[in-house]
Coordinates of all heavy atoms in Angstrom, one line a residue:
L7 N 88.9 -92.1 147.2 CA 88.6 -91.0 146.2 C 88.8 -91.6 144.8 O 89.8 -92.0 144.5 CB 89.6 -89.9 146.5 CG 89.5 -88.6 145.7 CD1 88.2 -87.9 146.0 CD2 90.7 -87.7 145.9
C8 N 87.7 -91.7 144.1 CA 87.7 -92.2 142.8 C 87.8 -91.1 141.8 O 87.1 -90.1 141.9 CB 86.5 -93.1 142.5 SG 86.5 -94.6 143.4
G21 N 79.9 -83.9 133.7 CA 79.6 -85.2 134.4 C 78.3 -85.0 135.2 O 77.7 -84.0 135.1
P22 N 77.9 -86.0 135.9 CA 76.6 -86.0 136.6 C 76.8 -85.0 137.8 O 77.8 -84.8 138.3 CB 76.5 -87.4 137.1 CG 77.9 -88.0 137.2 CD 78.6 -87.3 136.0
D23 N 75.6 -84.4 138.2 CA 75.6 -83.6 139.3 C 75.8 -84.4 140.6 O 75.6 -85.6 140.6 CB 74.2 -82.9 139.5 CG 73.9 -81.9 138.4 OD1 74.9 -81.4 137.8 OD2 72.8 -81.7 138.0
A24 N 76.4 -83.8 141.6 CA 76.7 -84.5 142.8 C 75.3 -85.0 143.4 O 74.4 -84.2 143.5 CB 77.3 -83.5 143.8
A25 N 75.3 -86.2 143.8 CA 74.1 -86.8 144.3 C 74.4 -87.0 145.8 O 75.5 -87.4 146.2 CB 73.8 -88.1 143.6
V26 N 73.3 -86.9 146.6 CA 73.4 -87.2 148.0 C 73.5 -88.7 148.2 O 72.9 -89.5 147.5 CB 72.2 -86.6 148.7 CG1 72.2 -86.9 150.2 CG2 72.0 -85.1 148.5
D27 N 74.4 -89.1 149.1 CA 74.5 -90.5 149.5 C 75.1 -91.3 148.3 O 74.7 -92.5 148.1 CB 73.2 -91.0 149.9 CG 73.4 -92.3 150.8 OD1 74.4 -92.3 151.6 OD2 72.6 -93.2 150.7
T28 N 76.0 -90.8 147.6 CA 76.7 -91.6 146.5 C 78.0 -92.2 147.1 O 78.5 -91.7 148.1 CB 77.1 -90.7 145.3 OG1 77.9 -89.7 145.8 CG2 75.9 -90.2 144.6
L29 N 78.5 -93.3 146.5 CA 79.7 -93.9 147.0 C 80.9 -93.0 146.6 O 80.7 -92.0 145.9 CB 79.8 -95.3 146.4 CG 79.0 -96.3 147.3 CD1 78.9 -97.6 146.6 CD2 79.4 -96.4 148.7
P30 N 82.1 -93.5 146.9 CA 83.2 -92.5 147.1 C 83.2 -91.3 146.2 O 82.6 -91.3 145.2 CB 84.5 -93.3 146.9 CG 84.1 -94.7 146.8 CD 82.6 -94.8 146.6
V31 N 84.0 -90.3 146.6 CA 84.1 -89.1 145.9 C 84.5 -89.4 144.5 O 85.5 -90.0 144.2 CB 85.1 -88.1 146.5 CG1 85.3 -86.9 145.7 CG2 84.8 -87.8 147.9
G32 N 83.7 -89.0 143.5 CA 84.0 -89.2 142.1 C 84.4 -87.9 141.4 O 83.8 -86.9 141.7
L33 N 85.4 -88.0 140.6 CA 85.9 -86.9 139.9 C 86.0 -87.2 138.4 O 86.3 -88.3 138.0 CB 87.3 -86.5 140.3 CG 87.5 -86.0 141.8 CD1 88.9 -85.8 142.1 CD2 86.7 -84.7 142.0
E34 N 85.6 -86.2 137.6 CA 85.8 -86.4 136.1 C 86.6 -85.2 135.6 O 86.3 -84.1 135.9 CB 84.4 -86.5 135.5 CG 84.5 -86.7 134.0 CD 83.1 -86.9 133.4 OE1 82.2 -87.4 134.1 OE2 83.0 -86.7 132.2
L138 N 88.2 -79.9 148.8 CA 87.6 -81.0 149.4 C 87.3 -80.6 150.8 O 88.2 -80.5 151.7 CB 88.5 -82.3 149.4 CG 88.8 -82.9 148.0 CD1 89.8 -84.0 148.2 CD2 87.5 -83.4 147.4
R145 N 80.9 -93.1 153.1 CA 80.4 -92.5 151.8 C 80.8 -91.1 151.7 O 80.8 -90.3 152.6 CB 78.9 -92.6 151.7 CG 78.4 -94.0 151.7 CD 76.9 -94.0 151.7 NE 76.4 -95.4 151.7 CZ 75.8 -95.9 150.7 NH1 75.5 -95.2 149.6 NH2 75.4 -97.2 150.7
N146 N 81.2 -90.7 150.4 CA 81.6 -89.4 150.1 C 80.7 -88.9 148.9 O 80.5 -89.7 148.0 CB 83.1 -89.3 149.7 CG 84.0 -89.5 150.9 OD1 84.1 -88.7 151.8 ND2 84.6 -90.7 151.0
A147 N 80.3 -87.6 149.0 CA 79.5 -87.1 147.9 C 80.4 -87.0 146.6 O 81.6 -86.8 146.7 CB 79.0 -85.7 148.3
A148 N 79.7 -87.1 145.5 CA 80.4 -87.0 144.2 C 80.9 -85.6 144.0 O 80.3 -84.6 144.4 CB 79.5 -87.4 143.0
L149 N 82.0 -85.4 143.3 CA 82.6 -84.1 143.0 C 83.1 -84.1 141.6 O 83.8 -85.0 141.2 CB 83.8 -83.8 144.0 CG 84.6 -82.6 143.7 CD1 83.8 -81.3 144.0 CD2 85.9 -82.6 144.5
V150 N 82.6 -83.1 140.8 CA 83.1 -83.0 139.4 C 84.3 -82.1 139.5 O 84.2 -81.0 139.9 CB 82.0 -82.5 138.5 CG1 82.5 -82.2 137.1 CG2 80.8 -83.4 138.5
A151 N 85.4 -82.6 139.0 CA 86.7 -81.8 139.1 C 86.6 -80.5 138.1 O 85.9 -80.6 137.1 CB 87.8 -82.6 138.6

Side-chain angles (χ1 to χ4, degrees):
L7 182 66
C8 290
D23 292 333
V26 177
D27 203 37
T28 57
L29 281 172
V31 176
L33 294 175
E34 183 173 334
L138 293 174
R145 294 176 181 247
N146 291 288
L149 173 69
V150 176

